[in-house]
Amino acid sequence: MEHIRTTKVEQVKLLDRFSTSNKSLTGTLYLTATHLLFIDSHQKETWILHHHIASVEKLALTTSGCPLVIQCKNFRTVHFIVPRERDCHDIYNSLLQLSKQAKYEDLYAFSYNPKQNDSERLQGWQLIDLAEEYKRMGVPNSHWQLSDANRDYKICETYPRELYVPRIASKPIIVGSSKFRSKGRFPVLSYYHQDKEAAICRCSQPLSGFSARCLEDEHLLQAISKANPVNRYMYVMDTRPKLNAMANRAAGKGYENEDNYSNIRFQFVGIENIHVMRSSLQKLLEVNGTKGLSVNDFYSGLESSGWLRHIKAVMDAAIFLAKAITVENASVLVHCSDGWDRTSQVCSLGSLLLDSYYRTIKGFMVLIEKDWISFGHKFSERCGHLDGDPKEVSPVFTQFLECVWHLTEQFPQAFEFSEAFLLQIHEHIHSCQFGNFLGNCQKEREELKFWRNMYHQFDRTLHPRQSVFNIIMNMNEQNEQLEKDIKDLESKIKQRKNKQTDGILTKELLHSVHPESPTLKTSLCFKEQTLLPVNDALRTIEGSSLADNRYSEYAEEFSKSEPAVVSLEYGVARMTC
Amino acid sequence: MEFAELIKTPRVDNVVLHRPFYPAVEGTLCLTGHHLILSSRQDNTEELWLLHSNIDAIDKRFVGSLGTIIIKCKDFRIIQLDIPGMEECLNIASSIEALSTLDSITLMYPFFYRPMFEVIEDGWHSFLPEQEFELYSSATSEWRLSYVNKEFAVCPSYPPIVTVPKSIDDEALRKVATFRHGGRFPVLSYYHKKNGMVIMRSGQPLTGTNGRRCKEDEKLINATLRAGKRGYIIDTRSLNVAQQARAKGGGFEQEAHYPQWRRIHKSIERYHILQESLIKLVEACNDQTHNMDRWLSKLEASNWLTHIKEILTAACLAAQCIDREGASILIHGTEGTDSTLQVTSLAQIILEPRSRTIRGFEALIEREWLQAGHPFQQRCAQSAYCNTKQKWEAPVFLLFLDCVWQILRQFPCSFEFNENFLIMLFEHAYASQFGTFLGNNESERCKLKLQQKTMSLWSWVNQPGELSKFTNPLFEANNLVIWPSVAPQSLPLWEDGVSLCHPDWSAVARSRLTATSVSQVQAILLP
């Protein structure tokens, strides 16, 4: 709280991001301990969580006031104009402090109170049980067992306590192998395919340098390929470009030498590193945020950002992995440099392709818990939760979500969850509202005790979309109501039949039936009424409020410009009555 | 039949058919006057029925005595036939080549097609100009139907009946016709009931370099303005192009002679530029190398989406003038048969809820494309695979359908029809058993006696059984104006339409998947 000097500023303008004529909304800006809140004159609220703020920029003073540009990690960009420079400066300084916390204890998750009691809280944390998940895959079994080698995080700090390894791999082999692997991340089981008896394993790069070898590591790999009774050879996938892997050799790291390991087939996949991905996303966002973009600039920008090329590289790797297992019955060992970024992407996407369970809502949460959280994807550093090295920030998980989104687009029926679920997850890896994504690995967490639409989800005027989802949900509701009506009517018919069989239809009975008919009528009316909200919903999502409408701006352009230069840059608002 | 001499080998056995998405089929290939038929002669197996007029280009290759014919269709499909025997293969190839490029329209399939269904409603009489006129004659008495073009003497590309301002007599219309390109004097295209504003369309005025003027023309278009109101003239060419047109006798309305009108130039490309764009786009879609960067730059180089954006932008502007500015507009380009029609028809999709229903959209195509004289015969003679350079081909109608798809995608609940309906219209515009899209204008259609000798596409489409395939299950009628976004981020490629049969995208399969999933949802939800 000590960072907040001004809590409320009035007469602040919120500029339209894509408007070419500086259209704006006027309202009041509030600064709270956790959020920045803007309420415009139509009482529409814009909430921005401090943790979502990626950067705050104060631009040069203009005649109308001091511009403040805030870029968020969920790809929202807001452009305020604060009338007085002092207020602007105060807010700017407060936000700088509030958006970058130095300690985990200051994060929102520790102050967020959802009004749950302790048992509910515990239930939430116990919802996903990874031991249960490995049981579902069919391990431990005659080939794979639970190893207690890392029980106290002694062998590898960034791995979880419970690891599954081949039954024939003894503890000395594991310890030996871990010494030969970067950060001690030795090969362990990530996914076991029950039908094919093949496994996806993961590790970090070997410390092979130019010639070093390690017998224990070679034994462990052999044990993995022996654990697959169908196929004697196994794939080792290095997800880095070959050049990067070779460069690592000079630093005493590197990749497996096929001559030293029996029965392995070595393969480079060529996914770029976190720094390339970071700048690629940066370029993509720059293109998407350009005012008055032409179609050709958009596509050349999209291409030069390389974002889709990187997405494709990750997808290709996952497809290669899935094919190796389903077509060739071969086990696969995946690694990159440290085995927590690209390896997590490829292992989890591969599992998603192979196993329909991961395409359910629960299964997807399990997948993230297993391949990302438990195996030590450094969420806090990659998402910049705390004030730290900006070079460690990278959209690795965002990329994974986008890959999944591409799959949902191609196979709309295969997934239980929708785009909204992926967006919600993306929102919360940055929000620090819940404890799930805090910290960099399991150990650290215990010591603490405790995605086109993606990039334009807030630019409502740019993507007019009638919601199919709303209509289907409405139909669903309506159907439930109809089913209820049917049940009611059926029970009434039964009653009547009983009465008929019981006795004679007297006039009194007929009278007693009368009051029922109005209820029947109301239920029919209700049916018509439920149909209407569809239209209402449609109007509300289209944002037909004057504020959202780009027309006033258009009219300006109209009267200002000469006939030959009138242009409709950005599309128009949406439905208007 | 007349085609006997063109068919040297009517039947070949053991032909193997390769198609994307399907396993290869071996069967007997038959050649008839209008179709290429392949049958495996087993129950429930695929058969190929391909209209010769759907064939855009063919390639032949030989390996030993096995010949291969690759057929590239106007709907962008690519089919491969392996034919044993060099002679058979050569015969088949030359027959296909001859039959797919018949000169005479009266030899085309629609003149031989006999429907297998019972005609409930004759599509030739479904959308009569008189009925269309009645729709707005109740709201206004300022317009009348004119029969001045009854013999097609005043304007060869106009229908016999047109709607013009009531205060202008036929004599004046004849004079105006001499001042407008192709005799296309300004006529009513759309009447906006909400505020009584109108869209008119015409050909360019023939001002020439010496600034010719025509008092009747000025009087005609001024008759549509209310007192004290100004109107807008949307010229679908850039100012430069319009100025150059003066040298060839064309031109644009001078401010001095039309003081009540403001001219806006929007540049929409035409003819060979559009055709080249389509060729490049389909080339990019058929590229087998999977490289993300090359795909994006090829897509960019085709400029297809830029054309989409330009057309949509002009249409939005027109709609905005009508609905927001409360001003009437006149739209023309050079001839007034291509970009003009794109803009007038898309503006109606935006403004008029009726044109988003199936029947309304059919009426729109009948009125704004067929009656208005879009030269379908010339524009759709060849498609993306043609290698001979021809002047008149252009995917003008396909671009229009693509724009409609873009709006449909942004407002998935506002249209009664679905994507399949648009694809069906595209296919029939290029090759069809129906006579609807034959000929370049009403006058040619009359001479060909299409109404008597061929079936109308609408007779087939409007049967309840067929309509169900084209109906959007999410449709909720609304009376709103829909304003689409034209930002590049909101305009994706119409994969199912434009890369109909790309071998590696399961685009088509995917669209079927979504469609079936929606109908399944409906089946579950609607007892």
Side-chain angles (χ1 to χ4, degrees), chain A residues 303 452 479 551 554 563 574, chain B residues 263 297 313 320 483 489 525:
Chain A
E303 182 184 330
R452 210 177 276 258
N479 187 45
Y551 274 95
Y554 262 158
R574 36 263 21 261
Chain B
R263 214 176 56 248
S297 46
T313 306
Q320 191 191 351
W483 297 105
Q489 292 99 317
L525 295 181

Side-chain angles (χ1 to χ4, degrees), chain B residues 355-413:
Chain B
S355 64
R356 291 173 230 142
T357 63
I358 291 182
R359 280 199 83 91
F361 192 70
E362 289 170 0
L364 181 80
I365 288 180
E366 186 72 30
R367 202 173 63 232
E368 289 301 308
W369 291 86
L370 295 163
Q371 304 265 340
H374 175 67
F376 277 100
Q377 195 75 44
Q378 291 179 344
R379 298 287 179 262
C380 303
Q382 297 265 259
S383 171
Y385 300 115
C386 83
N387 26 30
T388 50
K389 213 171 182 179
Q390 277 160 323
K391 207 182 165 189
W392 300 114
E393 283 78 17
V396 177
F397 189 61
L398 175 61
L399 275 164
F400 160 70
L401 293 177
D402 196 331
C403 290
V404 176
W405 179 82
Q406 301 283 354
I407 306 177
L408 188 145
R409 203 185 135 276
Q410 293 181 19
F411 299 95
C413 312

Side-chain angles (χ1 to χ4, degrees), chain A residues 128 130 133-134 136-137 190-191 200 202 344-355 357-375 379 397 400 404 407 415 417 437:
Chain A
I128 290 162
L130 283 184
E133 168 59 13
Y134 283 101
R136 190 194 65 85
M137 291 183 219
S190 161
Y191 177 75
I200 301 176
R202 54 186 293 167
S344 294
Q345 285 178 331
V346 174
C347 287
S348 53
L349 267 181
S351 318
L352 192 79
L353 292 175
L354 290 169
D355 194 331
Y357 173 67
Y358 296 128
R359 302 194 285 261
T360 63
I361 289 181
K362 173 84 189 288
F364 192 64
M365 295 194 284
V366 169
L367 183 69
I368 292 173
E369 190 75 25
K370 172 171 76 78
D371 272 324
W372 292 86
I373 298 175
S374 84
F375 279 113
F379 276 105
F397 191 72
F400 163 69
V404 176
L407 289 174
F415 290 83
F417 48 84
F437 300 111

